Amino acid sequence: MSELKQPGMKPMAETEARARAGAVASGSDKPTGAGAHVSGRHPMEAGKGAQLGRTIAFVGLVVLGVMFLVPFAFQVLVSLSTVADVDLLTQLGFPPTLKPDNYEGVFEQVPFAKYYFNSLFVAGWATLLQVITCSMAAYAFSRVRWVGRDKVFLLYLGTLMVPGVVLMVPNFVIILELGMFDDYTGLIIPAAFSAYGTFLLRQFMLTIPSSLDEAAAIDGAGHWRIFTQIILPLARPGIIVLAIFAFLFNYNSFFWPLILTKSENLRVLPVGLLQFDSTYGSDTPKIMAASLMSMIVPVILFLLLQKYLVRGIQLGAVKG
Amino acid sequence: MIGSGRKRLLIALLFLLPNLAGFLLFTAGPVVFSLYLSFTDTSLTEHNRYSDASPRWVGLDNYARLLWGDESVFFWDYFWNTVFLMIGIPLSIFGSLALALLLNSKATPAKPKSRWLLSGVAAAFTLIACFGTWVLAAPDEAARAVMSTETGLTDLTVYEVQTLRRNGLTLFVGLVGVVVTAGLGIGQMFFRAAFYLPTLLAGVAMFLLWKTLYRPRGGLINAVLDPILGAVETMVEATPAWLWYGLGIATAALGVFLSVRLTVTGVGRLRHGDVGPAAFGTRVMLTLTLLASMVGLGVVLAQLPAKALLPSGYLPLTPEQSDRALASFEGELGGEYDELEFTAVRSNFERGPAFEDLVARLASIKSEEATARVQRHVAETTRRAAEEGVLSREEAVASVEAFIAEFDVASAPASQLRELVADPDRTPQLRVLVDAMSVALVRTFGERIADVLDPLAPADGAAFTKAGAGRAIDAVAEAFAGEFEPAAIEAVRRELTTVAYRDAYSQLVSIAGEDNEAAVAAILTETASRDRAGLTAGAGLEPPEWLISSRWAKTALIIMGVWLGIGGGNMLLYLAGLSNIAPELYEAAAIDGATGWQRFIHVTWPQLAPTTFFIVIMSTIGGLQGGFEQALVMTQGKADTIVLTYYLYNLAFNGNFQLGLASAVAWIMFAIIFAMTAFNFRFGSRMTNE
């Protein structure tokens, strides 16, 4: 939590500080950054007014939180209904017959386990390769001084501005020519490189003090040792950020697998779900069950690595 | 640094090699390749490894075709669709800012002790509230045997319906309680995670969920909208129309007044040099947004009476009205539609119910009343409550005979009743007896109705015409004067003798073509509104059919986009931006006596300008390329939802593989993105520096 730039407490007007007596952040007592006080109250009229403002803000948060969660609750209820009861669900508020075997049915009607495996397999490999290639390139851009480094880096930066749609058509042709069409390699290899990831890790590595690798160099360490034993461990937070981004992006990726795969046993979850919807579109409960199951992995990942993800978004973007 | 210059270059290249190779092959190279493709007529169906033909260099032909040639109709249509969808971007950005401010307002307790205490209290309270809901909303035991009469729920008893609603309500109370408990216990992080969840999951699975939410029937969104629109409608109906006109005009006038004031003060400040031209530009844009939204709201308010009372939804057209509508349709659009289909629609409009259906429908009005009468009768004759229990056979026979005599039950149902109570294998149960008597009463009533209807029925067993059914219902109402609830018989009349306005509309549009949509609407509205004094409830404000209707599908995508994106990366960026604002600024503002709003306008908003700038640029770039997955999953491109990326997909991958033309689309998009970004930089970086 302390990593999250949780705005710490900063005594502003004395009265206000007293009003918030119970609100001193425990995990983050560093006095950086006070929050914006926009609840519309005057600092001098603290006390009850401030408490009221906070209560109203809390109620607002709860209302919004419920609004963001209710669709998922609805999804769970639909996934437990029978087809006939779906239309009645909003009238009744609860399915007349709970039917948990919708979840089983998904696996019977389509090779859902195969879709799941494909998604994890492709996203996993793409993430691993991307982390390797990007961290090596970032090392070359941040730790080694060489002729033309800045020019090449500028080229990398320049392509960040090229919209993804421009790359779709030529990449399709290239994959076709390389014989990677309708194959795992066609899904994994193009995702194994990323200008954005290189940029992100370079920014991270630049924050590592150069005295560390200089000291190692004096001790006789070569570049490979400095890279693997000093820079990589210190850049771990950045690498985790990149890994989450890469994994989530490839797990959710839809356009590319859609145009690049034809055979059923290569379908990843998003493509499989779309196919499922167009074939069994009227079986809403099973579709909700399938989509709910495909959401589990990102949610678990997010709950485990939330602080890295949040920091990554804030860091990568603000500095960009 | 280790090594000489050349050695360092070698090492760097070794480190860079894997990434650089991929970068050149899949990023830098394709950019050049794509540009080349866009100047050729490359098409995979003609130029592939199985054919000798090689693509021709066509120069700027592809661009010309898209911008003003044979493809321009599609291109511009899809371009404007894309622009329309981008309306969601400012909404989403302001929403993200609002969420970030809310998260940052220290609304959750920070001290661990008070956190645990409060969340413990909340957890206990949640349990109590759930239990309370469970008890208070308990179903009515007495309604176990009563069938529900609500639309669509007639298979369930009232007791079952109430049980399910109790379950749903308890679940909702529990959800709210969990949010409160977790919010107090975990604090800001919990809400941040909840807001971020949609962005995290944005993808096909999420779009499928929203497709379900948007179902016109059985979807969550219309289930929420329905009662709201119903309340608005009742309010509008209960109040004089001039009130709404006045309110609309007042809102629009207020909007104009505020805009003028904002502009005048802005011009004043510009003249005094308080603000620069760029900030003035922002002010003008905000003012225009305010003006547009308030005038828009005014127009909506002023139109409410007309909308709520006019046949915009399921309002029925009487047989005469549908006749008239068909006649003017034929007169005004004659020759533009398929004659055969029109004949089918006409017979569709005219065909009424079959004889048996009409009898059954009229008799069924009586069923509820019959049950009540039977229960009264049984209670009187047996001196017992008519729900549970067993009668002696003598009691049962006596009760049945008294019943037959009292209600003049027709012979066939009467003999069935007698058989039932005489059957030695069955114990006469009160509940069964009541049900059987109710059926007998309804059937008796049905026979009497059939007697009245018989002379009016069409010969040789054909169905009634709608007009004929209307006359038949009139005859029944007259013959049974005082025995029917007027409202109930009116409902049957409306159901069996009318064409729903919306059905008429969609059927006529389907044969006249979408080009004539407006003409059809005009004909129907005029036909119906001539008699609208005679038409009452059931009309008016209907929730839209979201993804099915061309008018609403894009709005549906926008709403979903805002919900998905509002708590995502932009909110996190704003949170980071907020925590970077130096507290001294707020202290200084506080000493100057600034109010909350002034602090926001003079400290928070300017300090966040770089963040906003970054977000605006990234969102416009993303927005122009977005919308493909949503449209493919949710509407399959129907209902006028095709965006530029979808167009590119259709051109390049969905069938005809015109890679050259598709590349040209991509490069036009690139040019637009580049121009917008350059404009933003020129205009925005000045704004952020002021």
Side-chain angles (χ1 to χ4, degrees), chain A residues 45-81:
Chain A
E45 52 170 48
K48 275 182 188 167
Q51 185 58 49
L52 184 71
R54 279 209 301 277
T55 311
I56 292 173
F58 186 76
V59 170
L61 282 173
V62 168
V63 169
L64 285 163
V66 169
M67 265 178 64
F68 277 97
L69 293 176
V70 157
F72 297 105
F74 185 69
Q75 188 179 22
V76 173
L77 289 183
V78 173
S79 75
L80 292 171
S81 305

mmCIF file of all heavy atoms in Angstrom, chain A residues 45-81:
data_model
loop_
_atom_site.group_PDB
_atom_site.id
_atom_site.type_symbol
_atom_site.label_atom_id
_atom_site.label_comp_id
_atom_site.label_asym_id
_atom_site.label_seq_id
_atom_site.Cartn_x
_atom_site.Cartn_y
_atom_site.Cartn_z
ATOM 1 N N GLU A 45 -13.806 25.739 8.261
ATOM 2 C CA GLU A 45 -15.051 25.298 8.874
ATOM 3 C C GLU A 45 -15.061 23.784 9.008
ATOM 4 O O GLU A 45 -16.038 23.126 8.698
ATOM 5 C CB GLU A 45 -16.249 25.770 8.044
ATOM 6 C CG GLU A 45 -16.093 25.372 6.589
ATOM 7 C CD GLU A 45 -17.324 25.586 5.765
ATOM 8 O OE1 GLU A 45 -17.889 26.664 5.853
ATOM 9 O OE2 GLU A 45 -17.696 24.662 5.045
ATOM 10 N N ALA A 46 -13.951 23.242 9.469
ATOM 11 C CA ALA A 46 -13.772 21.794 9.510
ATOM 12 C C ALA A 46 -14.799 21.118 10.408
ATOM 13 O O ALA A 46 -15.986 21.332 10.283
ATOM 14 C CB ALA A 46 -12.373 21.485 9.997
ATOM 15 N N GLY A 47 -14.337 20.279 11.324
ATOM 16 C CA GLY A 47 -15.220 19.653 12.292
ATOM 17 C C GLY A 47 -16.319 18.851 11.644
ATOM 18 O O GLY A 47 -16.067 17.992 10.809
ATOM 19 N N LYS A 48 -17.543 19.174 12.020
ATOM 20 C CA LYS A 48 -18.676 18.387 11.558
ATOM 21 C C LYS A 48 -18.792 18.416 10.043
ATOM 22 O O LYS A 48 -19.102 17.435 9.406
ATOM 23 C CB LYS A 48 -19.963 18.918 12.181
ATOM 24 C CG LYS A 48 -20.223 18.336 13.562
ATOM 25 C CD LYS A 48 -21.530 18.854 14.120
ATOM 26 C CE LYS A 48 -21.693 18.431 15.562
ATOM 27 N NZ LYS A 48 -22.763 19.152 16.236
ATOM 28 N N GLY A 49 -18.532 19.601 9.454
ATOM 29 C CA GLY A 49 -18.635 19.736 8.001
ATOM 30 C C GLY A 49 -17.726 18.759 7.299
ATOM 31 O O GLY A 49 -18.127 18.086 6.348
ATOM 32 N N ALA A 50 -16.492 18.656 7.773
ATOM 33 C CA ALA A 50 -15.523 17.764 7.137
ATOM 34 C C ALA A 50 -15.986 16.318 7.254
ATOM 35 O O ALA A 50 -15.921 15.545 6.296
ATOM 36 C CB ALA A 50 -14.161 17.936 7.784
ATOM 37 N N GLN A 51 -16.464 15.989 8.460
ATOM 38 C CA GLN A 51 -16.933 14.619 8.669
ATOM 39 C C GLN A 51 -18.081 14.306 7.735
ATOM 40 O O GLN A 51 -18.125 13.248 7.102
ATOM 41 C CB GLN A 51 -17.373 14.462 10.134
ATOM 42 C CG GLN A 51 -17.767 13.042 10.503
ATOM 43 C CD GLN A 51 -16.624 12.067 10.250
ATOM 44 O OE1 GLN A 51 -15.499 12.308 10.671
ATOM 45 N NE2 GLN A 51 -16.898 11.000 9.524
ATOM 46 N N LEU A 52 -18.982 15.285 7.586
ATOM 47 C CA LEU A 52 -20.130 15.098 6.704
ATOM 48 C C LEU A 52 -19.654 14.889 5.270
ATOM 49 O O LEU A 52 -20.108 13.987 4.571
ATOM 50 C CB LEU A 52 -21.051 16.322 6.790
ATOM 51 C CG LEU A 52 -22.334 16.203 5.973
ATOM 52 C CD1 LEU A 52 -23.267 15.188 6.611
ATOM 53 C CD2 LEU A 52 -23.019 17.550 5.842
ATOM 54 N N GLY A 53 -18.697 15.741 4.852
ATOM 55 C CA GLY A 53 -18.171 15.632 3.493
ATOM 56 C C GLY A 53 -17.581 14.255 3.246
ATOM 57 O O GLY A 53 -17.818 13.648 2.197
ATOM 58 N N ARG A 54 -16.841 13.767 4.229
ATOM 59 C CA ARG A 54 -16.227 12.449 4.045
ATOM 60 C C ARG A 54 -17.279 11.353 3.988
ATOM 61 O O ARG A 54 -17.158 10.403 3.213
ATOM 62 C CB ARG A 54 -15.244 12.176 5.179
ATOM 63 C CG ARG A 54 -13.902 12.837 4.976
ATOM 64 C CD ARG A 54 -12.810 12.047 5.648
ATOM 65 N NE ARG A 54 -13.037 11.899 7.071
ATOM 66 C CZ ARG A 54 -12.701 12.820 7.977
ATOM 67 N NH1 ARG A 54 -12.134 13.938 7.581
ATOM 68 N NH2 ARG A 54 -12.932 12.621 9.241
ATOM 69 N N THR A 55 -18.317 11.520 4.815
ATOM 70 C CA THR A 55 -19.376 10.510 4.792
ATOM 71 C C THR A 55 -20.063 10.487 3.422
ATOM 72 O O THR A 55 -20.304 9.423 2.856
ATOM 73 C CB THR A 55 -20.414 10.801 5.894
ATOM 74 O OG1 THR A 55 -19.701 11.018 7.102
ATOM 75 C CG2 THR A 55 -21.367 9.646 6.057
ATOM 76 N N ILE A 56 -20.346 11.696 2.907
ATOM 77 C CA ILE A 56 -20.987 11.755 1.588
ATOM 78 C C ILE A 56 -20.087 11.101 0.539
ATOM 79 O O ILE A 56 -20.542 10.306 -0.293
ATOM 80 C CB ILE A 56 -21.295 13.216 1.202
ATOM 81 C CG1 ILE A 56 -22.389 13.765 2.117
ATOM 82 C CG2 ILE A 56 -21.723 13.317 -0.245
ATOM 83 C CD1 ILE A 56 -22.643 15.240 1.940
ATOM 84 N N ALA A 57 -18.780 11.414 0.607
ATOM 85 C CA ALA A 57 -17.846 10.826 -0.350
ATOM 86 C C ALA A 57 -17.837 9.308 -0.222
ATOM 87 O O ALA A 57 -17.794 8.585 -1.221
ATOM 88 C CB ALA A 57 -16.444 11.383 -0.129
ATOM 89 N N PHE A 58 -17.924 8.822 1.020
ATOM 90 C CA PHE A 58 -17.912 7.369 1.209
ATOM 91 C C PHE A 58 -19.166 6.738 0.614
ATOM 92 O O PHE A 58 -19.091 5.703 -0.053
ATOM 93 C CB PHE A 58 -17.794 7.018 2.703
ATOM 94 C CG PHE A 58 -17.646 5.550 2.946
ATOM 95 C CD1 PHE A 58 -16.430 4.929 2.712
ATOM 96 C CD2 PHE A 58 -18.715 4.791 3.378
ATOM 97 C CE1 PHE A 58 -16.279 3.572 2.916
ATOM 98 C CE2 PHE A 58 -18.572 3.425 3.585
ATOM 99 C CZ PHE A 58 -17.354 2.815 3.354
ATOM 100 N N VAL A 59 -20.305 7.396 0.848
ATOM 101 C CA VAL A 59 -21.544 6.874 0.257
ATOM 102 C C VAL A 59 -21.414 6.844 -1.264
ATOM 103 O O VAL A 59 -21.793 5.860 -1.921
ATOM 104 C CB VAL A 59 -22.749 7.737 0.692
ATOM 105 C CG1 VAL A 59 -23.990 7.351 -0.094
ATOM 106 C CG2 VAL A 59 -22.988 7.573 2.174
ATOM 107 N N GLY A 60 -20.822 7.920 -1.814
ATOM 108 C CA GLY A 60 -20.601 7.950 -3.262
ATOM 109 C C GLY A 60 -19.752 6.770 -3.714
ATOM 110 O O GLY A 60 -20.067 6.103 -4.704
ATOM 111 N N LEU A 61 -18.689 6.516 -2.989
ATOM 112 C CA LEU A 61 -17.812 5.394 -3.339
ATOM 113 C C LEU A 61 -18.570 4.073 -3.300
ATOM 114 O O LEU A 61 -18.421 3.227 -4.188
ATOM 115 C CB LEU A 61 -16.628 5.336 -2.368
ATOM 116 C CG LEU A 61 -15.501 6.341 -2.591
ATOM 117 C CD1 LEU A 61 -14.498 6.268 -1.460
ATOM 118 C CD2 LEU A 61 -14.809 6.075 -3.907
ATOM 119 N N VAL A 62 -19.400 3.922 -2.269
ATOM 120 C CA VAL A 62 -20.141 2.659 -2.149
ATOM 121 C C VAL A 62 -21.112 2.509 -3.307
ATOM 122 O O VAL A 62 -21.187 1.444 -3.938
ATOM 123 C CB VAL A 62 -20.884 2.596 -0.796
ATOM 124 C CG1 VAL A 62 -21.877 1.445 -0.789
ATOM 125 C CG2 VAL A 62 -19.899 2.451 0.342
ATOM 126 N N VAL A 63 -21.845 3.598 -3.632
ATOM 127 C CA VAL A 63 -22.806 3.524 -4.737
ATOM 128 C C VAL A 63 -22.086 3.142 -6.029
ATOM 129 O O VAL A 63 -22.508 2.238 -6.758
ATOM 130 C CB VAL A 63 -23.541 4.875 -4.896
ATOM 131 C CG1 VAL A 63 -24.331 4.891 -6.190
ATOM 132 C CG2 VAL A 63 -24.455 5.114 -3.717
ATOM 133 N N LEU A 64 -20.955 3.817 -6.294
ATOM 134 C CA LEU A 64 -20.210 3.511 -7.514
ATOM 135 C C LEU A 64 -19.664 2.083 -7.480
ATOM 136 O O LEU A 64 -19.733 1.358 -8.475
ATOM 137 C CB LEU A 64 -19.062 4.503 -7.685
ATOM 138 C CG LEU A 64 -19.502 5.884 -8.146
ATOM 139 C CD1 LEU A 64 -18.408 6.902 -7.907
ATOM 140 C CD2 LEU A 64 -19.859 5.830 -9.612
ATOM 141 N N GLY A 65 -19.140 1.683 -6.318
ATOM 142 C CA GLY A 65 -18.613 0.323 -6.202
ATOM 143 C C GLY A 65 -19.692 -0.703 -6.520
ATOM 144 O O GLY A 65 -19.453 -1.661 -7.259
ATOM 145 N N VAL A 66 -20.896 -0.469 -6.000
ATOM 146 C CA VAL A 66 -22.000 -1.396 -6.290
ATOM 147 C C VAL A 66 -22.311 -1.390 -7.779
ATOM 148 O O VAL A 66 -22.506 -2.432 -8.401
ATOM 149 C CB VAL A 66 -23.239 -1.020 -5.446
ATOM 150 C CG1 VAL A 66 -24.456 -1.785 -5.914
ATOM 151 C CG2 VAL A 66 -22.971 -1.297 -3.981
ATOM 152 N N MET A 67 -22.309 -0.167 -8.382
ATOM 153 C CA MET A 67 -22.590 -0.076 -9.816
ATOM 154 C C MET A 67 -21.585 -0.864 -10.653
ATOM 155 O O MET A 67 -21.919 -1.403 -11.700
ATOM 156 C CB MET A 67 -22.571 1.376 -10.264
ATOM 157 C CG MET A 67 -23.927 2.016 -10.284
ATOM 158 S SD MET A 67 -23.785 3.742 -10.760
ATOM 159 C CE MET A 67 -23.172 3.605 -12.419
ATOM 160 N N PHE A 68 -20.338 -0.878 -10.188
ATOM 161 C CA PHE A 68 -19.328 -1.597 -10.949
ATOM 162 C C PHE A 68 -19.395 -3.106 -10.706
ATOM 163 O O PHE A 68 -18.893 -3.876 -11.503
ATOM 164 C CB PHE A 68 -17.926 -1.076 -10.603
ATOM 165 C CG PHE A 68 -17.556 0.162 -11.366
ATOM 166 C CD1 PHE A 68 -17.696 1.413 -10.817
ATOM 167 C CD2 PHE A 68 -17.087 0.056 -12.664
ATOM 168 C CE1 PHE A 68 -17.370 2.550 -11.536
ATOM 169 C CE2 PHE A 68 -16.761 1.175 -13.393
ATOM 170 C CZ PHE A 68 -16.901 2.431 -12.823
ATOM 171 N N LEU A 69 -19.987 -3.516 -9.596
ATOM 172 C CA LEU A 69 -19.996 -4.946 -9.278
ATOM 173 C C LEU A 69 -21.300 -5.636 -9.658
ATOM 174 O O LEU A 69 -21.314 -6.840 -9.900
ATOM 175 C CB LEU A 69 -19.713 -5.151 -7.783
ATOM 176 C CG LEU A 69 -18.291 -4.758 -7.363
ATOM 177 C CD1 LEU A 69 -18.114 -4.889 -5.863
ATOM 178 C CD2 LEU A 69 -17.255 -5.605 -8.081
ATOM 179 N N VAL A 70 -22.397 -4.846 -9.712
ATOM 180 C CA VAL A 70 -23.697 -5.471 -9.985
ATOM 181 C C VAL A 70 -23.721 -6.263 -11.300
ATOM 182 O O VAL A 70 -24.234 -7.383 -11.330
ATOM 183 C CB VAL A 70 -24.824 -4.417 -9.934
ATOM 184 C CG1 VAL A 70 -26.023 -4.854 -10.722
ATOM 185 C CG2 VAL A 70 -25.224 -4.171 -8.491
ATOM 186 N N PRO A 71 -23.143 -5.723 -12.411
ATOM 187 C CA PRO A 71 -23.173 -6.536 -13.637
ATOM 188 C C PRO A 71 -22.547 -7.906 -13.471
ATOM 189 O O PRO A 71 -23.027 -8.888 -14.036
ATOM 190 C CB PRO A 71 -22.368 -5.690 -14.629
ATOM 191 C CG PRO A 71 -22.555 -4.300 -14.170
ATOM 192 C CD PRO A 71 -22.595 -4.385 -12.671
ATOM 193 N N PHE A 72 -21.485 -7.972 -12.649
ATOM 194 C CA PHE A 72 -20.859 -9.283 -12.453
ATOM 195 C C PHE A 72 -21.770 -10.208 -11.649
ATOM 196 O O PHE A 72 -21.844 -11.403 -11.930
ATOM 197 C CB PHE A 72 -19.506 -9.117 -11.769
ATOM 198 C CG PHE A 72 -18.525 -8.332 -12.590
ATOM 199 C CD1 PHE A 72 -18.223 -7.028 -12.269
ATOM 200 C CD2 PHE A 72 -17.932 -8.896 -13.714
ATOM 201 C CE1 PHE A 72 -17.325 -6.301 -13.040
ATOM 202 C CE2 PHE A 72 -17.046 -8.181 -14.483
ATOM 203 C CZ PHE A 72 -16.742 -6.876 -14.148
ATOM 204 N N ALA A 73 -22.455 -9.629 -10.650
ATOM 205 C CA ALA A 73 -23.403 -10.437 -9.889
ATOM 206 C C ALA A 73 -24.497 -10.961 -10.817
ATOM 207 O O ALA A 73 -24.886 -12.132 -10.757
ATOM 208 C CB ALA A 73 -24.010 -9.610 -8.757
ATOM 209 N N PHE A 74 -24.962 -10.086 -11.716
ATOM 210 C CA PHE A 74 -25.987 -10.486 -12.685
ATOM 211 C C PHE A 74 -25.459 -11.616 -13.571
ATOM 212 O O PHE A 74 -26.159 -12.587 -13.853
ATOM 213 C CB PHE A 74 -26.378 -9.277 -13.527
ATOM 214 C CG PHE A 74 -27.501 -9.524 -14.487
ATOM 215 C CD1 PHE A 74 -28.778 -9.733 -14.028
ATOM 216 C CD2 PHE A 74 -27.270 -9.546 -15.853
ATOM 217 C CE1 PHE A 74 -29.823 -9.956 -14.911
ATOM 218 C CE2 PHE A 74 -28.299 -9.779 -16.742
ATOM 219 C CZ PHE A 74 -29.576 -9.974 -16.269
ATOM 220 N N GLN A 75 -24.191 -11.466 -13.960
ATOM 221 C CA GLN A 75 -23.571 -12.490 -14.799
ATOM 222 C C GLN A 75 -23.582 -13.852 -14.088
ATOM 223 O O GLN A 75 -23.906 -14.871 -14.701
ATOM 224 C CB GLN A 75 -22.141 -12.066 -15.114
ATOM 225 C CG GLN A 75 -21.440 -12.942 -16.125
ATOM 226 C CD GLN A 75 -20.041 -12.457 -16.396
ATOM 227 O OE1 GLN A 75 -19.452 -11.744 -15.589
ATOM 228 N NE2 GLN A 75 -19.486 -12.817 -17.536
ATOM 229 N N VAL A 76 -23.248 -13.834 -12.803
ATOM 230 C CA VAL A 76 -23.242 -15.091 -12.049
ATOM 231 C C VAL A 76 -24.645 -15.688 -12.029
ATOM 232 O O VAL A 76 -24.846 -16.881 -12.295
ATOM 233 C CB VAL A 76 -22.733 -14.856 -10.616
ATOM 234 C CG1 VAL A 76 -22.894 -16.117 -9.793
ATOM 235 C CG2 VAL A 76 -21.286 -14.415 -10.638
ATOM 236 N N LEU A 77 -25.656 -14.844 -11.762
ATOM 237 C CA LEU A 77 -27.026 -15.351 -11.691
ATOM 238 C C LEU A 77 -27.471 -15.914 -13.037
ATOM 239 O O LEU A 77 -28.093 -16.980 -13.092
ATOM 240 C CB LEU A 77 -27.990 -14.240 -11.246
ATOM 241 C CG LEU A 77 -27.881 -13.817 -9.784
ATOM 242 C CD1 LEU A 77 -28.936 -12.779 -9.456
ATOM 243 C CD2 LEU A 77 -28.039 -15.024 -8.865
ATOM 244 N N VAL A 78 -27.143 -15.196 -14.138
ATOM 245 C CA VAL A 78 -27.532 -15.710 -15.457
ATOM 246 C C VAL A 78 -26.853 -17.042 -15.712
ATOM 247 O O VAL A 78 -27.467 -17.985 -16.206
ATOM 248 C CB VAL A 78 -27.170 -14.697 -16.567
ATOM 249 C CG1 VAL A 78 -27.410 -15.306 -17.941
ATOM 250 C CG2 VAL A 78 -27.979 -13.430 -16.433
ATOM 251 N N SER A 79 -25.576 -17.142 -15.328
ATOM 252 C CA SER A 79 -24.847 -18.372 -15.627
ATOM 253 C C SER A 79 -25.405 -19.557 -14.846
ATOM 254 O O SER A 79 -25.108 -20.698 -15.162
ATOM 255 C CB SER A 79 -23.359 -18.197 -15.320
ATOM 256 O OG SER A 79 -23.147 -18.237 -13.929
ATOM 257 N N LEU A 80 -26.204 -19.277 -13.817
ATOM 258 C CA LEU A 80 -26.779 -20.366 -13.034
ATOM 259 C C LEU A 80 -28.235 -20.647 -13.406
ATOM 260 O O LEU A 80 -28.879 -21.493 -12.808
ATOM 261 C CB LEU A 80 -26.703 -20.041 -11.534
ATOM 262 C CG LEU A 80 -25.297 -20.007 -10.937
ATOM 263 C CD1 LEU A 80 -25.328 -19.475 -9.521
ATOM 264 C CD2 LEU A 80 -24.669 -21.381 -10.975
ATOM 265 N N SER A 81 -28.751 -19.892 -14.393
ATOM 266 C CA SER A 81 -30.159 -20.072 -14.758
ATOM 267 C C SER A 81 -30.310 -21.117 -15.853
ATOM 268 O O SER A 81 -29.338 -21.555 -16.448
ATOM 269 C CB SER A 81 -30.744 -18.756 -15.284
ATOM 270 O OG SER A 81 -30.563 -17.731 -14.373
#
